[in-house]
Amino acid sequence: MSTHPDVVAHQQAKVPLFTDNANVFLLQTNTVAAWDKFVAACPEATFFHRAGWQYVIEQAFGHRTWFLYTEMAGEIHGILPLVEIDSVLFGHSLSSLPFCVYGGIAAQSDAARSVLDDAAQRLAAQLKVDYLEYRNLKPFHTDWPTKNLYVTFRREINDDIESNMLAIPRKQRAMVRKGIKYGLIGCIDEVVDRFFYAYSVSVHRLGTPVFSKRYFQLLKTTFAEDCELLIITHEDEVVSAVMSFYFRDEVLPYYGGGTDEARDLAANDFMYWELMRRACERGYKIFDFGRSKQGTGSFSFKKNWGFEAQPLFYEYQLHQAKAIPDHNPLNPKYQFFIKAWQNLPLPLANLIGPHIVRNLG
């Protein structure tokens, strides 16, 4: 694993979160290695708990970060990465972790978990945020308001390529074979330009603001070989692309999209199969298809691959806010904006989009 050398700006030997509490500290340069060592070993930790996210989020979006850890006998026993977003349009939040599917506390013990949870709640109160958010794979604060909107899709990868193909339901398998028949080719890229083209065309078609190209460049630079760009071409033209993350024995296709030609060529279907096939050859064991909103095309697409939906528990402790946030495209009040965005020229949408999406998280 690799972490950008400038992942954090703190230079002190140790930075406690509160002057009257010596049990919780802020991540700093000389604790990055220990943080990532803990993440690699802790069963509750995910790719999104890695220290590199602090650097990426600070540099790409300019948000203040609070990456907390607690230790015993000089060793980290629990972590909680938090990001503060203060937006006139979308409110003031403290979240673990915006721009990421999973987050929340990763700890070796209930004691460490409790210490970090108490610190986060105290920090949220001091910052006077609208709400504190944890993005959990499992329920934690069952008494907090939660969203029943998101699910994730995870499945084991068989160690035999043909067995993985046969595990795909018949109709979806036919789409994969259609892409193969059209002669689609997959290759790995080291620069983000071709990926960004396919991705930006795709999100524009959906009426969604795009992230900046710099954000994707930061992800690739920060996570290096654990962040991979798979490009699908047809007759030497890019038709789809996906940025995937690798963590332990898992592969997670995270940002993906296709051009207007992709649908007729079954390019997205071929792309995810190509990713699964390559992961199988490299010995990865879990294919994490990532988060989808219930009732969306993405949700149906993943179900068609034979994946079972697993609920995600996004829990909110309300502070200044009266209700949990609802900043998603399914909200009826955003339909006019979505239709208007789809009609913007792509270059203009790519110019304006990053200034909007940086505060959505």
Side-chain angles (χ1 to χ4, degrees):
M1 295 187 295
S2 61
T3 302
H4 196 283
D6 297 325
V7 65
V8 286
H10 306 297
Q11 298 298 322
Q12 298 94 329
K14 220 177 236 191
V15 184
L17 177 62
F18 302 114
T19 56
D20 61 347
N21 186 337
N23 293 323
V24 178
F25 305 94
L26 292 168
L27 175 66
Q28 56 204 291
T29 304
N30 61 2
T31 49
V32 164
W35 176 293
D36 277 340
K37 180 181 178 181
F38 174 85
V39 169
C42 179
E44 294 181 344
T46 70
F47 181 84
F48 304 103
H49 286 87
R50 288 184 55 177
W53 284 99
Q54 184 178 55
Y55 177 79
V56 169
I57 289 172
E58 287 182 350
Q59 295 298 312
F61 307 116
H63 298 312
R64 190 175 186 180
T65 61
W66 305 83
F67 274 43
L68 313 181
Y69 70 92
T70 186
E71 63 179 27
M72 292 180 60
E75 291 192 359
I76 293 177
H77 275 235
I79 61 170
L80 174 56
L82 291 161
V83 172
E84 181 185 357
I85 298 179
D86 195 357
S87 165
V88 173
L89 288 177
F90 303 109
H92 188 190
S93 64
L94 186 65
S95 178
S96 180
L97 198 61
F99 313 103
C100 299
V101 175
Y102 314 130
I105 299 169
Q108 290 183 344
S109 67
D110 290 340
R113 187 174 294 104
S114 179
V115 165
L116 290 166
D117 185 34
D118 290 344
Q121 293 186 41
R122 180 178 171 184
L123 177 62
Q126 288 193 2
L127 294 173
K128 297 182 179 180
V129 297
D130 295 331
Y131 57 87
L132 169 66
E133 176 192 23
Y134 294 156
R135 299 184 175 185
N136 301 323
L137 273 163
K138 297 178 180 179
F140 177 37
H141 278 294
T142 56
D143 56 327
W144 287 9
T146 186
K147 279 185 180 177
N148 296 315
L149 178 64
Y150 297 110
V151 298
T152 190
F153 295 84
R154 294 164 56 85
R155 195 176 74 187
E156 289 186 6
I157 300 174
N158 195 288
D159 58 9
D160 175 68
I161 291 176
E162 187 60 22
S163 296
N164 288 309
M165 175 68 85
L166 295 176
I168 304 171
R170 182 177 57 83
K171 288 185 178 180
Q172 184 59 48
R173 189 164 66 243
M175 294 298 293
V176 173
R177 295 198 188 280
K178 179 180 178 182
I180 296 173
K181 180 181 177 182
Y182 276 119
L184 300 182
I185 296 173
C187 64
I188 303 302
D189 213 338
E190 295 301 321
V191 295
V192 303
D193 294 37
R194 293 195 296 173
F195 157 79
F196 184 77
Y197 167 69
Y199 177 74
S200 64
V201 168
S202 182
V203 297
H204 180 253
R205 188 167 57 244
L206 294 172
T208 304
V210 71
F211 290 106
S212 68
K213 184 186 288 188
R214 183 168 182 265
Y215 170 57
F216 297 111
Q217 290 171 334
L218 283 165
L219 286 170
K220 180 59 183 165
T221 301
T222 300
F223 297 115
E225 69 276 5
D226 296 330
C227 175
E228 184 182 81
L229 300 165
L230 175 62
I231 311 298
I232 306 301
T233 60
H234 178 251
E235 297 177 350
D236 295 326
E237 296 292 327
V238 176
V239 287
S240 61
V242 61
M243 172 179 278
S244 302
F245 300 138
Y246 290 86
F247 181 69
R248 296 185 186 133
D249 61 351
E250 303 178 8
V251 57
L252 168 57
Y254 201 60
Y255 294 110
T259 65
D260 294 338
E261 295 77 24
R263 183 169 185 174
D264 290 339
L265 295 168
N268 288 334
D269 308 88
F270 174 83
M271 176 177 71
Y272 290 115
W273 162 248
E274 180 71 358
L275 179 65
M276 186 181 294
R277 183 188 68 78
R278 288 168 176 258
C280 171
E281 288 183 337
R282 292 161 61 182
Y284 286 88
K285 302 300 182 185
I286 300 292
F287 193 91
D288 187 334
F289 229 148
R291 184 183 79 177
S292 290
K293 301 179 188 75
Q294 297 190 58
T296 63
S298 172
F299 177 93
S300 299
F301 179 77
K302 294 169 186 178
K303 288 280 287 184
N304 290 342
W305 277 74
F307 283 66
E308 292 297 324
Q310 174 185 338
L312 291 173
F313 300 89
Y314 285 19
E315 300 172 341
Y316 299 83
Q317 184 187 51
L318 302 181
H319 286 258
Q320 306 299 314
K322 302 280 192 236
I324 61 177
D326 190 17
H327 309 315
N328 79 82
L330 297 181
N331 189 330
K333 73 178 183 180
Y334 295 124
Q335 294 309 302
F336 174 80
F337 174 83
I338 290 171
K339 289 181 172 59
W341 196 266
Q342 290 170 326
N343 290 323
L344 285 178
L346 181 62
L348 181 59
N350 287 352
L351 180 65
I352 301 172
H355 299 285
I356 299 172
V357 77
R358 66 179 291 274
N359 290 317
L360 286 174

